Amino acid sequence: KERRSNMIEIMSRKNASEFIENNKDYPIIAIGEQYSDDVKNMITDKATNCLCLIFDDVEVESPTRKTASKEQIQQAIDWAKDKDDLIVACRAGISRSSAIAYLIACSKSKPEEAVNILDMSIHQPNRLIIERGAKVLNDKKVEKTIDDWMADLYQKYL
């Protein structure tokens, strides 16, 4: 796949692992789960320019699951601040990574522009991460833009 510069790319852990094999210095945010070493084995052990975040793909608080904290979201935004090119990867590249990538894009541009990094045929940003990220960014448009995007998604694909 041809890579463009100045972009945030959302990937599955498998695709990110394959890319990092030959591009160890490429900036990557790797999102893992609390009960799995996959992110360590597949990405963080290989990558030299990596932020690893651990939280489960859940959209409601649960005593047995770890949700993304505001601090982790802020950490991702801060870490990505000076990086034009970046991969954000979670297990499937659908929910957690798309939410974090969108929030990072929102920190660099307007939500109406940031939403263009998402692909309606693939991404379903995690709502809890979006809600918390909107608070971190102190911007209500972050959620509204995703709500509108999701409404368009449902109309297009359902």
Side-chain angles (χ1 to χ4, degrees):
K1 181 177 166 183
E2 185 70 26
R3 305 193 62 76
R4 300 186 324 259
S5 61
N6 293 331
M7 67 180 293
I8 300 169
E9 191 159 355
I10 303 160
M11 289 188 185
S12 69
R13 189 171 301 144
K14 179 182 181 296
N15 289 348
S17 177
E18 290 168 2
F19 180 79
I20 286 298
E21 223 28 80
N22 300 313
N23 302 277
K24 294 183 184 335
D25 295 334
Y26 201 89
I28 182 168
I29 296 177
I31 303 168
E33 302 76 30
Q34 66 174 331
Y35 299 119
S36 169
D37 285 335
D38 283 359
V39 75
K40 180 182 182 316
N41 297 336
M42 294 175 75
I43 297 179
T44 60
D45 284 352
K46 299 176 188 175
T48 59
N49 192 5
C50 181
L51 171 65
C52 182
L53 301 173
I54 303 294
F55 52 85
D56 298 318
D57 192 8
V58 291
E59 297 195 355
V60 292
E61 288 291 344
S62 161
T64 59
R65 306 297 294 275
K66 181 173 172 47
T67 58
S69 68
K70 286 183 187 172
E71 292 77 19
Q72 287 174 310
I73 294 166
Q74 185 67 62
Q75 184 182 12
I77 291 167
D78 291 345
W79 189 84
K81 194 169 288 184
D82 63 344
K83 294 165 181 70
D84 290 330
D85 298 321
L86 172 68
I87 292 169
V88 184
C90 64
R91 180 176 302 281
I94 295 171
S95 180
R96 291 172 294 171
S97 56
S98 65
I100 293 291
Y102 169 68
L103 293 170
I104 290 166
C106 285
S107 74
K108 298 178 179 206
S109 65
K110 293 181 175 130
E112 302 83 13
E113 295 166 15
V115 77
N116 292 324
I117 69 164
L118 301 176
D119 180 334
M120 282 189 177
S121 67
I122 302 169
H123 302 126
Q124 297 173 13
N126 179 298
R127 283 296 309 172
L128 184 60
I129 297 170
I130 297 296
E131 287 170 24
R132 289 184 177 162
K135 290 179 179 136
V136 166
L137 294 169
N138 194 25
D139 186 349
K140 291 183 183 355
K141 279 182 136 183
V142 167
E143 274 187 277
K144 169 92 173 84
T145 302
I146 282 291
D147 290 342
D148 292 347
W149 185 82
M150 290 300 287
D152 289 348
L153 170 85
Y154 293 139
Q155 281 195 327
K156 188 172 183 176
Y157 289 99
L158 296 180

